[in-house]
Amino acid sequence: MDLSKAKDTFLQEARELLQQFETLLLKAESASLDSEDLGALFRTVHTIKGSAGLFGFEAIVSFCHTVENVLAQLRSGTLSLTPELSQLLLLCRDGISRLVDDAEVSETPLVEVPEAERALQDALASVGVHEETPAKPRSIPVATMHADVDDAQRWHIRVKFGADVLRGGVDPIACLRYLSTLGTISGMQTLFPSLPALDELDPETCYIGFDFTLTSSASLAEIDGTFDFAREGSEIEIKSLTPVAVPAAAPAPDNQPEPEARHAEPVARKPGEGKFLKVEAAKLDRLINLVGELVIAGAAANVLSVNRNDNQMQEAISTISTLIEQIRDGALNMRMVPVGEIFQRFPRVVRDVAHELGKDIELRISGEETELDKSMVEKLTDPLMHIVRNALDHGIEPAAERKSSGKPTRGKIELMAYHESGSVVLEVSDDGGGIRRDKVIHKAVERGLIESGAGLTDAQVYHLLFEPGFSTAEAVTNLSGRGVGMDVVKKNIEALRGEIEIESREGQGTTMRLRLPLTLAIIDGFLVQVGPSQFVIPLDMVLECIELVTQESRYRRYIELRGEVLPYIDVRDIFDIHDAALPSYRYIVVVQYGNKRAGLVVDHLLGELQVVIKPLGKLFRGAQGISGSAILGSGEVALILDVPQLVQVACRQEKEEIEHHHERSHTEHACGK
Amino acid sequence: MSKTVMIVDDSTSMRQTVKICLSSAGYDVVEAEDGQDGIAKLDGRPVHLIIADVNMPVMGGIDMVKAIKQMPNYRFTPIMMLTTESDETRKREGQFAGAKAWVVKPFKPEQLLAAVAKLIMP
Amino acid sequence: MEIQIEERESERVLALRGEVNIYHAAQLRDALLAELNAQSEIGLDLEHVSEMDTSAIQIVVALLRTAADQGKLARVVKVGSAAANIIRFCNLQDELGLQLP
């Protein structure tokens, strides 16, 4: 029996349930829980305990049992949820979580609850009303088939089954067949002591009885246990025929004392408890890989059909292309998960950290339903956690300071997610003191990162925060001053083809904005040609294409587009493609990233297509202006232009130009005076 | 012909484990995630044993037992409840409703197999 | 379960087929009772029974006992492996007048 697959399911399920547990407890801090919530709270731990037992995770079972006991009392109303108890339960949640982690990695599962958790368990046990059952899981007698005949005993068994046994779905003969697996039955006599005549016989009433000898090494409790499900109205007699001291029979479970009655809690389906199919991530990845190949193959077929000028073929292929597109979207969509999966960890973090810092901080979350790629979710958690901790620690001022600057003493942190032109944006805002420009510059100069702050824009100053080893906190606090800095956050985000923006106003707060691509695997691209080379521009960043009228001067790098200045760069310049003949008409592809626009000058527009992104090899990873490569339907390789970077370059050039121009006119002006 | 067991539990890992455990012993297993789903999945198919959790969303185990006992084709199908020690009252309710067998959670796979074997052989 | 009344060479036989269990108990009892009331000799063919449970066994035993009480003859004429297994397990060969290997 291989339970390893089920174990993974258990681990995942346990973590989800612990998350629910936490969410419910945190909810209790602002609103009181109704009976439905308390029932759900109970069920989370109850389910973990039940499944943990199957895998022999005794420590989890034992720990959950104690927690469950308290939750049962909360549910029945004999205990109420005080802030202290809530805190203790949260710590217990962490304890269970640690045990679950241990269960994942350990070869041999913990049997005893480790000391740290033991302490929690004891603390919790003292909260609850005296437990009526020991925390130790009760073991049901299991048939242990000793091959050793020496310790086999002989038993004389007489059973008369109760009249209603059959109606309960229990078949006495099946019962005895099970018993025969525990040993050897001999001298079987089947008895019908009160079998009526056929015309008076009730076909669903049980009239059967047995008298036989059993030779078995099973314990009396195990033998007796055979009749557990058929006890009602039955007479069972088990006598030892072996002259050996026999242990007393285990008491039938029915004789156990009855705990007080509990009312049934309402069972309504919670929103979000939808129907889901859990699929192994690797399977999905394989599917997406195949879809990627399909996209390429489809594009190849398309190229062929166009070249052959076969209309019918083109029509057929266009239908296939539409379907491939849908399959691709569907497959990618399967990888999309709501960002709430990350966000839901934050209420607890904010609460705990605020506690630790002695600050009063409120967390607001919006846009939890915004979806992004699952693989990104995993890689975003740490950076986001760091940013939030940073905001808590350095962003929000201490209450006294807030009061003196006329703000409410309660600080506010906002987590937000939304989609914007082909990107997912995650924002962390605080209403704290903002980033103090002078302080950042001071520190950066001190650290030798810059010579002086003169001429730096705010954005440039803020980006100093991402330099390795930069920390603005005067005292290194326990929370965010531990070496891992914002530079790591930036690296992580860039590894996801994302970027970070900072907006800050002194005295009013800071917003950190993470902008990430929707997915990592396949994009809709716009194919362009420059000289002999083909390039792909991510389609969702393309706004429009216009004809480049004349390249008036090699120095003027902007045009006026509907009353706005649009800086542009020539792709030929970026990649040094100068030997190829210039076509008579060239084009500007207008792209947007974030709130910036720029133009990219290309030779030919080849149209839209889907491309599968292949990451660049090590050699090209540092290459400017390229974010990846793609295989085209023709089998050729095209480079994917790094639009965010190019937009930045274009805007910088434009600015320099303007400044240059400004300086020039300034000098002229001065001269004129 | 192997016997079919239906496991009704809202916990995926519980269903999966029960399935692995019973399949390895030669039973066919049908899964359902709550009482309502369980009843829907009976749907005329031969089911020789129903294993059901007591505590489930939508329709709990006891209500499901009551409903099944009204279904002509399933009223004699043995039902085994997954109960807990602290749920003695619920167990009695379940027995009263017609579920004559039970396994106390947490249990080990072999305990489940033993309990199932007392009712039906694979 | 299916019940067929077959007129064989020298006897009239009730042949049961398929699963014979608690779900069919009422039907089985009624069929056997009707036969018992109408005939003086009853043959029961269990060859094609795929499964039998306690309820089926006790009805068969009741048929044989009731027939004997009424001075009639009821007997099991044939058994298949499913029926033979359970009869052997319960050691009911004598009761049912069968000799099983």
Side-chain angles (χ1 to χ4, degrees):
Chain A
M1 195 185 320
D2 179 19
L3 290 178
S4 59
K5 250 196 176 160
K7 182 180 153 186
D8 288 344
T9 312
F10 163 73
L11 294 167
Q12 192 188 347
E13 183 180 80
R15 292 190 177 117
E16 282 168 17
L17 289 165
L18 286 172
Q19 186 58 55
Q20 268 179 39
F21 181 83
E22 182 178 300
T23 307
L24 284 163
L25 275 180
L26 292 177
K27 180 183 169 191
E29 299 200 340
S30 50
S32 63
L33 297 182
D34 56 22
S35 66
E36 198 176 312
D37 290 332
L38 289 169
L41 194 64
F42 174 84
R43 209 158 50 226
T44 56
V45 177
H46 178 77
T47 303
I48 295 174
K49 178 178 124 177
S51 298
L54 284 168
F55 301 97
F57 299 143
E58 300 297 345
I60 299 179
V61 171
S62 161
F63 196 97
C64 286
H65 182 83
T66 311
V67 179
E68 189 190 21
N69 191 271
V70 168
L71 295 178
Q73 290 174 35
L74 285 174
R75 189 175 63 168
S76 66
T78 51
L79 206 61
S80 60
L81 189 61
T82 60
E84 292 75 30
L85 180 55
S86 169
Q87 174 70 17
L88 187 57
L89 285 171
L90 279 172
L91 291 173
C92 287
R93 186 217 86 101
D94 297 345
I96 299 172
S97 172
R98 282 193 296 274
L99 295 176
V100 169
D101 289 346
D102 179 83
E104 179 166 24
V105 294
S106 292
E107 291 282 323
T108 46
L110 287 172
V111 176
E112 293 294 323
V113 177
E115 214 173 310
E117 283 73 31
R118 184 84 225 168
L120 284 171
Q121 199 176 359
D122 291 345
L124 198 64
S126 68
V127 171
V129 180
H130 172 70
E131 285 187 54
E132 68 268 351
T133 48
K136 194 176 127 299
R138 167 173 159 269
S139 57
I140 297 178
V142 183
T144 42
M145 308 219 205
H146 302 290
D148 202 355
V149 191
D150 288 345
D151 60 356
Q153 289 190 39
R154 291 177 65 233
W155 306 89
H156 179 218
I157 301 174
R158 286 173 64 97
V159 198
K160 164 78 178 74
F161 283 92
D164 284 332
V165 165
L166 294 177
R167 289 189 194 94
V170 178
D171 180 5
I173 295 176
C175 224
L176 286 210
R177 280 197 189 268
Y178 168 78
L179 189 61
S180 72
T181 64
L182 298 184
T184 315
I185 288 176
S186 56
M188 170 65 85
Q189 277 183 277
T190 301
L191 309 165
F192 299 96
S194 52
L195 189 70
L198 196 58
D199 55 341
E200 282 163 22
L201 177 136
D202 175 359
E204 287 156 15
T205 293
C206 182
Y207 301 99
I208 211 165
F210 301 92
D211 187 326
F212 57 95
T213 302
L214 175 76
T215 309
S216 166
S217 53
S219 70
L220 177 56
E222 286 168 55
I223 295 168
D224 187 59
T226 304
F227 305 104
D228 269 350
F229 306 149
R231 249 174 240 291
E232 242 176 34
S234 302
E235 294 158 28
I236 302 156
E237 209 181 282
I238 306 174
K239 277 188 195 153
S240 174
L241 295 175
T242 311
V244 172
V246 176
D254 280 17
N255 302 338
Q256 280 181 0
E258 246 193 68
E260 54 165 323
R262 271 185 213 106
H263 48 253
E265 78 272 15
V267 277
R269 183 161 281 241
K270 282 266 173 31
E273 273 184 349
K275 303 250 174 187
F276 287 108
L277 196 63
K278 282 184 179 145
V279 179
E280 217 179 300
K283 278 189 192 168
L284 203 52
D285 287 343
R286 278 199 294 281
L287 175 67
I288 287 179
N289 257 334
L290 281 176
V291 172
E293 299 299 324
L294 186 62
V295 169
I296 294 172
N302 191 31
V303 169
L304 268 181
S305 74
V306 172
N307 288 350
R308 292 201 179 174
N309 240 342
D310 181 338
N311 280 340
Q312 273 179 314
M313 175 96 141
Q314 277 183 37
E315 223 162 87
I317 289 197
S318 121
T319 313
I320 294 175
S321 300
T322 316
L323 289 173
I324 291 178
E325 209 170 298
Q326 285 171 7
I327 292 173
R328 178 205 63 164
D329 289 348
L332 286 179
N333 207 17
M334 277 188 245
R335 288 196 59 90
M336 301 297 268
V337 291
V339 75
E341 222 172 83
I342 317 180
F343 281 2
Q344 65 184 357
R345 307 186 188 187
F346 284 91
R348 175 77 188 277
V349 172
V350 169
R351 175 192 172 280
D352 286 357
V353 173
H355 241 253
E356 206 173 313
L357 295 168
K359 292 179 180 173
D360 183 13
I361 296 170
E362 179 193 349
L363 174 72
R364 285 194 195 167
I365 292 179
S366 59
E368 304 98 304
E369 69 290 340
T370 310
E371 291 188 322
L372 79 176
D373 198 286
K374 170 84 181 162
S375 59
M376 244 187 289
V377 165
E378 287 148 15
K379 290 170 187 149
L380 271 175
T381 311
D382 285 347
L384 212 53
M385 193 70 81
H386 197 86
I387 293 172
V388 169
R389 280 170 179 267
N390 220 50
L392 287 162
D393 199 5
H394 308 313
I396 307 277
E397 321 88 316
E401 200 177 306
R402 291 181 67 89
K403 210 169 184 182
S404 67
S405 50
K407 290 191 197 175
T409 52
R410 169 170 249 207
K412 206 166 72 186
I413 289 202
E414 201 163 356
L415 273 175
M416 209 194 293
Y418 52 92
H419 283 154
E420 189 185 86
S421 60
S423 308
V424 181
V425 181
L426 303 180
E427 272 186 25
V428 181
S429 317
D430 64 61
D431 69 343
I435 299 171
R436 286 179 55 189
R437 190 189 152 96
D438 54 338
K439 237 168 148 182
V440 174
I441 291 172
H442 180 76
K443 196 94 174 194
V445 171
E446 205 179 270
R447 299 265 152 122
L449 298 170
I450 49 168
E451 305 239 308
S452 77
L456 291 180
T457 63
D458 282 352
Q460 283 167 329
V461 171
Y462 298 154
H463 272 272
L464 288 170
L465 294 173
F466 298 122
E467 291 297 320
F470 192 96
S471 162
T472 51
E474 273 144 6
V476 172
T477 60
N478 185 27
L479 293 169
S480 34
R482 267 183 298 192
V484 183
M486 294 293 279
D487 56 321
V488 177
V489 171
K490 191 182 175 205
K491 264 195 203 128
N492 287 339
I493 299 302
E494 281 175 349
L496 296 171
R497 295 196 287 126
E499 74 159 24
I500 307 185
E501 282 167 32
I502 303 180
E503 239 174 56
S504 182
R505 283 191 177 181
E506 245 181 87
Q508 291 179 26
T510 307
T511 298
M512 296 257 180
R513 196 170 290 127
L514 311 184
R515 197 180 294 278
L516 297 146
L518 268 180
T519 177
L520 301 169
I522 303 178
I523 56 166
D524 277 316
F526 188 69
L527 191 65
V528 298
Q529 189 169 358
V530 182
S533 311
Q534 295 186 338
F535 295 94
V536 175
I537 304 172
L539 189 64
D540 44 38
M541 296 178 179
V542 174
L543 288 179
E544 60 183 314
C545 299
I546 48 178
E547 208 172 294
L548 177 65
V549 184
T550 41
Q551 204 157 353
E552 289 164 359
S553 101
R554 272 194 76 82
Y555 303 102
R556 193 187 141 191
R557 293 303 172 97
Y558 57 89
I559 55 159
E560 206 184 286
L561 180 64
R562 287 188 286 277
E564 274 185 59
V565 170
L566 181 80
Y568 64 79
I569 42 179
D570 192 331
V571 177
R572 279 180 178 250
D573 290 344
I574 310 169
F575 301 107
D576 231 350
I577 308 169
H578 289 301
D579 4 342
L582 270 180
S584 37
Y585 296 107
R586 301 190 74 210
Y587 300 89
I588 297 181
V589 180
V590 182
V591 293
Q592 172 165 20
Y593 185 66
N595 48 13
K596 295 190 187 111
R597 288 173 186 202
L600 301 173
V601 180
V602 301
D603 293 357
H604 300 286
L605 305 176
L606 302 177
E608 296 175 19
L609 82 172
Q610 291 178 353
V611 293
V612 181
I613 300 179
K614 301 276 173 186
L616 287 174
K618 272 193 187 126
L619 200 57
F620 297 101
R621 206 154 288 164
Q624 290 275 314
I626 307 168
S627 66
S629 64
I631 298 168
L632 302 178
S634 58
E636 282 175 88
V637 173
L639 296 173
I640 300 170
L641 293 180
D642 186 350
V643 172
Q645 200 191 18
L646 295 176
V647 167
Q648 220 173 0
V649 170
C651 293
R652 199 169 53 225
Q653 274 182 8
E654 178 215 359
K655 217 170 136 260
E656 278 164 11
E657 195 127 338
I658 290 169
E659 273 167 14
H660 187 66
H661 179 76
H662 185 71
E663 257 168 45
R664 216 166 36 216
S665 60
H666 195 73
T667 340
E668 277 161 16
H669 193 65
C671 289
K673 251 198 170 169
Chain B
M1 197 187 73
S2 59
K3 298 279 171 67
T4 304
V5 180
M6 176 182 274
I7 166 71
V8 190
D9 198 308
D10 54 327
S11 157
T12 317
S13 71
M14 179 62 79
R15 288 199 307 270
Q16 206 172 348
T17 316
V18 168
K19 181 168 182 170
I20 292 171
C21 164
L22 293 182
S23 309
S24 74
Y27 296 95
D28 286 337
V29 180
V30 180
E31 294 179 53
E33 51 191 56
D34 57 56
Q36 217 168 52
D37 191 30
I39 287 170
K41 286 202 175 121
L42 282 175
D43 193 35
R45 78 171 87 200
V47 171
H48 301 92
L49 170 67
I50 297 163
I51 302 179
D53 190 18
V54 173
N55 217 323
M56 288 183 291
V58 186
M59 184 193 266
I62 290 164
D63 286 338
M64 185 185 78
V65 173
K66 287 180 188 160
I68 289 175
K69 286 290 157 190
Q70 300 300 315
M71 298 166 75
N73 292 331
Y74 295 100
R75 64 194 176 111
F76 297 123
T77 302
I79 305 174
M80 181 184 291
M81 306 294 289
L82 303 177
T83 65
T84 50
E85 281 174 83
S86 50
D87 253 359
E88 197 66 23
T89 328
R90 306 299 293 281
K91 185 173 114 185
R92 280 172 180 278
E93 265 181 71
Q95 282 180 296
F96 190 70
K100 300 298 177 188
W102 65 92
V103 176
V104 178
K105 287 204 280 190
F107 52 82
K108 298 235 163 45
E110 33 314 350
Q111 292 170 329
L112 177 74
L113 275 179
V116 169
K118 288 173 195 174
L119 294 164
I120 54 165
M121 284 290 168
Chain C
M1 180 190 70
E2 271 177 58
I3 305 175
Q4 259 174 350
I5 296 171
E6 296 171 9
E7 296 286 349
R8 295 185 185 166
E9 290 145 39
S10 60
E11 56 186 352
R12 188 178 146 96
V13 167
L14 248 87
L16 308 186
R17 283 171 183 274
E19 288 182 14
V20 186
N21 58 36
I22 179 81
Y23 286 104
H24 318 106
Q27 186 196 350
L28 177 63
R29 188 204 73 136
D30 292 350
L32 294 183
L33 189 58
E35 189 72 0
L36 181 67
N37 289 339
Q39 310 287 329
S40 58
E41 270 187 41
I42 302 167
L44 199 56
D45 181 348
L46 303 178
E47 188 182 6
H48 298 290
V49 167
S50 61
E51 192 193 295
M52 275 181 101
D53 70 351
T54 303
S55 69
I57 285 289
Q58 63 188 20
I59 289 171
V60 173
V61 171
L63 168 71
L64 267 67
R65 289 190 184 179
T66 310
D69 285 351
Q70 295 179 1
K72 296 180 174 180
L73 177 63
R75 61 193 188 100
V76 177
V77 296
K78 255 183 180 176
V79 289
S81 64
N85 267 334
I86 197 165
I87 291 166
R88 222 183 278 121
F89 181 82
C90 294
N91 205 9
L92 284 171
Q93 295 94 316
D94 289 350
E95 173 88 43
L96 299 179
L98 289 166
Q99 282 195 324
L100 298 172

